[in-house]
Amino acid sequence: MGSSTRSCLLLLALVVLVHGAARSRSANNRFPDDFLFGSATAAYQVEGGWNADGKGESIWDHMLHEHPEYSADRQNGDVADDSYHLYKEDVRILKEMGMNHYRFSIAWTRIMPTGEANNINQAGIDYYNNLINELLDNGILPVVTMYHWDLPQWLQDLGGWTNPIIADYFEDYARVLYENFGDRVKWWITLNEPLTFVAGYSNDGYFIQPPWINKPGVGDYLAIHHLLIAHARAYHLYDEQYRATQQGKVSITIQSDWYEPLTNSTEDIAAADRARQFYLGMIAHPIFSTEGDYPAIVRELVDKKSKAEGRTRSRLPVFSKEMVEYIRGTYDFFGLNYYTGKLVTSGETGKNPSRDRDSEVVTSVDPSWPASSVSPWLKVVPWGFRKLITWIHENYNAPDILITENGFSDAGTLEDTDRISYFKSHLTELLKAVYVDGANVIGYTAWSLLDNLEWNKGYTQRFGVYYVNITDPARPRIPKASSQFLKELIQAREIPQD
Ligand code: NOJ
């Protein structure tokens, strides 16, 4: 072979290689055609109108009215982003970004002021009808969370999630929702982040939240037990009475960090698995696993400790065989919220007793991980997103996974480049989970559409892709650079390469 032929062949090989690499790179950056992009909010964080037109008092209204000092900036959700009046603006900016869906929550107390089904507030039903219709008129799918932490205070006075009767009330509430909105809402999420809100019964977790009852390792376990039943009741109700005609999907949103072993020692690997079971499996295993019920390691450790404490029964209630079956499989997709990751080793931490102590794990973070400047818990760990998605895919029978939240906080800058790189790195890892690991991720929901009331952190931690000045009575929505980034990404259906 002459030297010119050889160089020709080499050139050809090079062209083929470069072309192939470009093709696979673009395939890996591209979202599947039916992939859904959306953004999310929650009622108490954006709506305001806390007692407008017959709305009842929720546990968040109650706590922040009674204890303004619990809030970092003494703010509450009385007015918030005033979405109660400005919902058309919210829909306008969703459309501006080309969003396929909007995940919002319904305030139970807006449509049932005490939480009871014999007391319906028509003005509340009208508000959500208007919002849903406005979304549909603009080609945006409503993804509706039934419960994003704002329990009717009336039900809290009866014990809230620690009273088994809550499952009856939750089923009644779900029925009102299916009856009134199910002709148009096809995506339902029963509960948002159960393991976050049950910390209201254990006085732990990363923020003060109602009812702020100090019963760790007991109150939170009771709440977990009853919310699993409540979720299943809402799911079965849909299955039995509404699915055939309404043909939607019902599921739950679970939050989890990624738990990475601190070292590759057998002990740390086991500790990381325990962390996943105590902080994710506790809710996911009863619903999504083949066997159902609480994870075996959770059952074993809590039972053992309860016995050693001289109790007559486990602090973690026991499901009957029938109830295990009733809860198992009550999902149509896996709603996942991901923000951050942690390193795990074994050890003792937390109050005695508490879920943290029961888990026998100690978590830490790598100081080299980039972090939000305002939310101490939010370290940027995008590779954990891929690992978590893939872990769920492998452990829970490859469910369809809808990312119902992922996002980044800052103090409220319009040039939010850190948020853009957060989205970009997480979406890149998401696509690796899809294309390399085979996970069925069907959509991504950015938290949040708007800067909003970050619970008891007030407006000091802002997650929005639109800025809201809460001292301006008109609450204008002002685009941040990240909204433009999302708009371009959704249009191209591809992650832009620098
Ligand atoms: C999860 C919660 O669902 C949401 O309400 C909250 O604002 C974000 N995490 C950010 O902390």
Side-chain angles (χ1 to χ4, degrees):
M1 194 186 304
S3 76
S4 64
T5 326
R6 225 178 8 244
S7 14
C8 262
L9 279 178
L10 261 176
L11 195 66
L12 189 71
L14 205 67
V15 168
V16 169
L17 254 177
V18 169
H19 185 71
R23 212 183 34 217
S24 75
R25 197 170 55 229
S26 73
N28 289 340
N29 281 330
R30 217 184 147 69
F31 290 88
D33 289 343
D34 51 359
F35 192 87
L36 296 168
F37 288 101
S39 187
T41 61
Y44 186 67
Q45 297 180 272
V46 300
E47 279 181 7
W50 82 274
N51 61 356
D53 306 327
K55 180 182 169 294
E57 185 190 40
S58 78
I59 54 175
W60 272 96
D61 296 322
H62 188 82
M63 185 185 87
L64 290 184
H65 287 158
E66 295 275 304
H67 293 285
E69 76 281 6
Y70 283 178
S71 160
D73 55 5
R74 296 185 80 87
Q75 295 284 348
N76 59 37
D78 286 4
V79 181
D81 292 334
D82 201 18
S83 289
Y84 185 61
H85 298 107
L86 299 177
Y87 69 90
K88 286 192 180 171
E89 268 301 286
D90 297 344
V91 177
R92 182 186 65 76
I93 62 178
L94 285 157
K95 192 174 184 188
E96 168 65 28
M97 288 185 283
M99 293 291 181
N100 305 117
H101 67 276
Y102 179 40
R103 174 177 178 233
F104 65 92
S105 81
I106 290 185
W108 192 338
T109 52
R110 197 175 289 293
I111 61 169
M112 297 157 82
T114 57
E116 298 168 288
N118 62 348
N119 182 7
I120 304 279
N121 181 34
Q122 188 55 42
I125 303 267
D126 294 346
Y127 169 66
Y128 293 110
N129 269 331
N130 291 339
L131 171 58
I132 291 164
N133 293 342
E134 183 75 9
L135 286 166
L136 293 173
D137 287 349
N138 285 281
I140 301 166
L141 291 173
V143 175
V144 179
T145 311
M146 299 179 181
Y147 182 75
H148 203 123
W149 307 355
D150 43 358
L151 193 74
Q153 180 61 36
W154 191 91
L155 286 174
Q156 188 56 57
D157 294 341
L158 296 176
W161 293 99
T162 60
N163 185 340
I165 201 89
I166 193 74
D168 293 338
Y169 285 97
F170 192 71
E171 184 182 334
D172 288 348
Y173 172 45
R175 182 179 294 104
V176 171
L177 300 185
Y178 300 146
E179 284 287 333
N180 283 280
F181 312 121
D183 56 335
R184 288 151 295 144
V185 172
K186 303 301 162 191
W187 292 83
W188 293 105
I189 291 165
T190 55
L191 305 170
N192 176 68
E193 294 198 0
L195 290 182
T196 311
F197 77 75
V198 299
Y201 297 88
S202 58
N203 277 30
D204 54 14
Y206 63 86
F207 69 95
I208 298 177
Q209 58 178 314
W212 210 229
I213 288 170
N214 188 14
K215 296 284 183 287
V218 178
D220 45 352
Y221 287 154
L222 276 176
I224 289 168
H225 203 69
H226 301 140
L227 72 81
L228 282 164
I229 299 173
H231 157 79
R233 292 276 291 274
Y235 183 90
H236 284 292
L237 173 69
Y238 194 76
D239 242 13
E240 285 153 22
Q241 294 181 30
Y242 298 94
R243 188 183 293 279
T245 50
Q246 299 188 351
Q247 305 200 346
K249 295 175 195 286
V250 181
S251 204
I252 188 167
T253 276
I254 297 176
Q255 180 275 339
S256 184
D257 299 344
W258 171 248
Y259 296 99
E260 180 74 5
L262 180 63
T263 71
N264 56 11
S265 71
T266 324
E267 213 193 350
D268 287 354
I269 291 171
D273 192 58
R274 266 198 319 281
R276 288 175 214 132
Q277 300 303 342
F278 268 88
Y279 302 126
L280 159 65
M282 190 104 187
I283 302 295
H285 198 273
I287 299 172
F288 294 91
S289 71
T290 309
E291 321 79 75
D293 208 351
Y294 295 118
I297 186 72
V298 170
R299 181 85 269 161
E300 182 192 320
L301 288 178
V302 186
D303 287 3
K304 189 177 84 186
K305 283 167 211 251
S306 302
K307 200 163 171 198
E309 290 154 13
R311 296 170 191 269
T312 48
R313 73 190 86 83
S314 178
R315 285 184 273 106
L316 181 65
V318 176
F319 287 124
S320 67
K321 275 206 171 60
E322 293 71 31
M323 191 50 84
V324 168
E325 282 311 298
Y326 185 77
I327 295 171
R328 193 172 68 89
T330 52
Y331 69 90
D332 298 320
F333 59 92
F334 193 116
L336 177 65
N337 289 359
Y338 176 81
Y339 285 89
T340 193
K342 292 209 167 65
L343 301 171
V344 189
T345 188
S346 67
E348 271 196 343
T349 185
K351 299 175 189 167
N352 191 15
S354 66
R355 187 156 52 99
D356 284 342
R357 185 158 289 237
D358 287 341
S359 72
E360 299 183 356
V361 307
V362 177
T363 62
S364 59
V365 294
D366 184 329
S368 74
W369 291 343
S372 152
S373 58
V374 292
S375 307
W377 56 273
L378 213 177
K379 313 293 176 200
V380 183
V381 192
W383 50 268
F385 193 27
R386 172 184 177 183
K387 287 196 177 193
L388 176 63
I389 293 171
T390 301
W391 192 88
I392 289 168
H393 175 72
E394 287 170 355
N395 283 270
Y396 299 130
N397 303 309
D400 280 350
I401 300 173
L402 176 64
I403 305 304
T404 40
E405 282 181 38
N406 176 241
F408 186 75
S409 57
D410 58 27
T413 170
L414 293 183
E415 284 308 315
D416 54 343
T417 46
D418 289 347
R419 178 168 295 104
I420 294 176
S421 53
Y422 184 95
F423 284 147
K424 208 164 157 181
S425 58
H426 284 74
L427 285 163
T428 302
E429 294 295 323
L430 180 156
L431 284 186
K432 287 185 200 160
V434 171
Y435 291 125
V436 185
D437 309 336
N440 305 316
V441 186
I442 58 174
Y444 176 87
T445 317
W447 184 271
S448 174
L449 177 64
L450 304 169
D451 284 345
N452 59 49
L453 185 90
E454 178 59 10
W455 306 104
N456 87 315
K457 304 301 174 198
Y459 299 98
T460 62
Q461 302 185 7
R462 289 163 172 263
F463 283 82
V465 297
Y466 273 71
Y467 176 82
V468 180
N469 175 359
I470 52 116
T471 58
D472 184 336
R475 301 287 196 279
R477 279 75 169 125
I478 300 164
K480 300 183 188 177
S482 57
S483 70
Q484 185 61 25
F485 167 80
L486 289 179
K487 179 179 174 167
E488 286 166 18
L489 178 126
I490 295 168
Q491 216 157 36
R493 303 193 70 77
E494 216 171 79
I495 302 175
Q497 299 302 294
D498 294 325

